[in-house]
Amino acid sequence: LQSYVGFDSITSQIEKKLLKRGFQFNVMVVGQSGLGKSTLINTIFASHLIDSKGRIQPDEASRQTVEIHSFTEAIVENGVKLRLNIVDTPGYGDQVNNENCWEPIIKYIKDQHSSFLRKELTAMRDRFIQDTRIHCCLFFISPTGHSLKPIDIVVLKKLTEVVNVVPVIAKSDSLTIEERIAFKHRIKEEMKFHNINLYPYASDEDDEQDSALNDSIQDLIPFAVVGSEKTIVVDGKTVRGRQNRWGVINVENENHCEFIHLRNFLTRTHLQDLIETTAMIHYETFRSKQLLALKE
Ligand code: GDP
Ligand code: MG
């Protein structure tokens, strides 16, 4: 005789616990200076970052990012608390000698893993550990319309070994739609040729729905984005956009660019998976290497 014991209430118990604790989401932006990294971050999280002290100031003269800089914002939507941590990095590849210019970035990512591991190994390991591990690295590609730069390939290789990398075509308003499609195609081929392993990764645990969602994302990557901190008026409506020599770009119009797709991907469809994948793949790889080294 089977009887109902009621453990199915575990889902609401988990939910309650998770909601109480909230979510920590850490995003890093990487790419050459002037590609619109700071602007895009402000555009994605605009309504939340305005007037906050962490907001990247739009003061052109003083805004160039000179060192790795992070700021945290707590966002609450419908009772769900999200602690968003943005890590802005200085443009790499701007020097005459670019040898090892990516090292501070890779070191920063590894340092977060290492500090998490240290806390995990201490006596009070059941206490809640503040997660500073980077869950997503947005990689900015210059909109040349030709191909990736050799330095980009080197940096992408290094990054994909330690973090979920999501490439974007920066300032895509500087390309026509046809140029953008051709460029995207070219970048995909180059990534494949150089065996650059981008997020999302295929997994045995994926059901049909997961694989379909991942396929549609893989199709879109690299997202062709446009950022803007300014609003413009289109047909009497105020929208976030840019005015250029061809006309007006509405950042949130999916016929104009893929900003909306990137934002949905980051904040709606893949937030939890980016966090989980970081813990289960990137952090685990780091952890097992470290623990093996300790044994030897
Ligand atoms: P960062 O150095 O990568 O952080 O770049 P910034 O965000 O500071 O932007 C550099 C300049 O590019 C600024 O003048 C921005 O207004 C401009 N910019 C940012 N995003 C875009 C974009 O999508 N399209 C165009 N045309 N210009 C942009
Ligand atoms: Mg910047």
Side-chain angles (χ1 to χ4, degrees):
L1 186 92
Q2 290 217 324
S3 64
Y4 174 72
V5 280
F7 65 82
D8 56 354
S9 78
I10 195 163
T11 51
S12 56
Q13 294 168 37
I14 293 173
E15 189 181 76
K16 192 164 165 241
K17 203 166 183 178
L18 283 177
L19 289 182
K20 202 166 147 199
R21 181 176 291 171
F23 297 85
Q24 174 75 47
F25 188 47
N26 308 318
V27 182
M28 176 186 249
V29 290
V30 173
Q32 280 180 280
S33 22
L35 286 182
K37 298 184 293 299
S38 304
T39 306
L40 191 79
I41 286 301
N42 285 340
T43 315
I44 297 178
F45 301 104
S47 50
H48 301 287
L49 302 182
I50 283 169
D51 297 334
S52 85
K53 61 176 176 347
R55 184 171 189 272
I56 304 163
Q57 292 306 315
D59 176 356
E60 301 288 333
S62 68
R63 78 179 271 163
Q64 207 188 24
T65 319
V66 290
E67 55 186 23
I68 295 179
H69 159 87
S70 85
F71 65 91
T72 299
E73 238 347 88
I75 303 175
V76 181
E77 275 181 1
N78 296 320
V80 181
K81 194 163 70 190
L82 178 71
R83 259 191 319 276
L84 177 71
N85 183 39
I86 306 284
V87 180
D88 200 4
T89 62
Y92 72 83
D94 303 339
Q95 309 302 315
V96 178
N97 179 0
N98 289 319
E99 209 179 315
N100 303 337
C101 59
W102 55 84
E103 261 170 13
I105 297 171
I106 299 289
K107 179 174 185 300
Y108 183 93
I109 296 169
K110 286 189 174 168
D111 282 351
Q112 311 315 308
H113 286 174
S114 149
S115 97
F116 198 90
L117 179 59
R118 228 177 304 121
K119 286 179 206 149
E120 239 182 14
L121 294 176
T122 57
M124 295 184 292
R125 58 179 279 177
D126 54 351
R127 266 186 44 189
F128 175 69
I129 302 176
Q130 177 76 32
D131 190 2
T132 62
R133 297 169 297 185
I134 302 296
H135 301 126
C136 180
C137 169
L138 292 178
F139 184 87
F140 285 63
I141 298 168
S142 174
T144 59
H146 307 299
S147 58
L148 290 171
K149 301 188 169 138
I151 184 135
D152 285 338
I153 292 165
V154 174
V155 176
L156 275 167
K157 272 260 180 214
K158 297 271 174 204
L159 283 171
T160 48
E161 283 166 15
V162 293
V163 69
N164 295 327
V165 176
V166 175
V168 303
I169 299 174
K171 297 185 172 184
S172 66
D173 54 317
S174 51
L175 299 169
T176 65
I177 300 282
E178 293 74 32
E179 287 170 337
R180 198 188 290 175
I181 293 169
F183 190 36
K184 201 182 255 218
H185 188 73
R186 181 74 195 271
I187 293 172
K188 279 184 200 288
E189 283 188 336
E190 282 188 286
M191 298 271 192
K192 209 186 251 170
F193 180 81
H194 292 284
N195 283 319
I196 291 167
N197 193 15
L198 298 175
Y199 176 89
Y201 319 112
S203 149
D204 301 338
E205 283 178 23
D206 285 353
D207 57 26
E208 245 168 69
Q209 207 185 345
D210 295 331
S211 331
L213 182 62
N214 285 350
D215 286 350
S216 69
I217 289 299
Q218 255 145 10
D219 240 24
L220 273 169
I221 284 174
F223 296 95
V225 294
V226 177
S228 175
E229 292 168 302
K230 299 203 174 75
T231 53
I232 49 172
V233 178
V234 184
D235 300 332
K237 267 206 253 161
T238 305
V239 297
R240 200 162 276 286
R242 304 193 79 87
Q243 175 93 47
N244 71 10
R245 64 198 143 115
W246 296 296
V248 165
I249 308 270
N250 175 356
V251 166
E252 302 198 16
N253 180 334
E254 56 181 320
N255 296 321
H256 292 187
C257 74
E258 291 157 356
F259 170 79
I260 277 292
H261 294 292
L262 173 66
R263 191 174 65 187
N264 283 345
F265 163 81
L266 275 183
T267 60
R268 306 211 170 123
T269 59
H270 285 70
L271 179 82
Q272 176 59 16
D273 191 66
L274 284 161
I275 296 173
E276 258 176 46
T277 304
T278 301
M280 289 182 336
I281 296 184
H282 296 295
Y283 176 64
E284 268 313 303
T285 306
F286 175 87
R287 187 170 171 271
S288 48
K289 266 192 207 152
Q290 292 290 308
L291 297 183
L292 268 178
L294 277 182
K295 274 190 202 153
E296 274 161 15

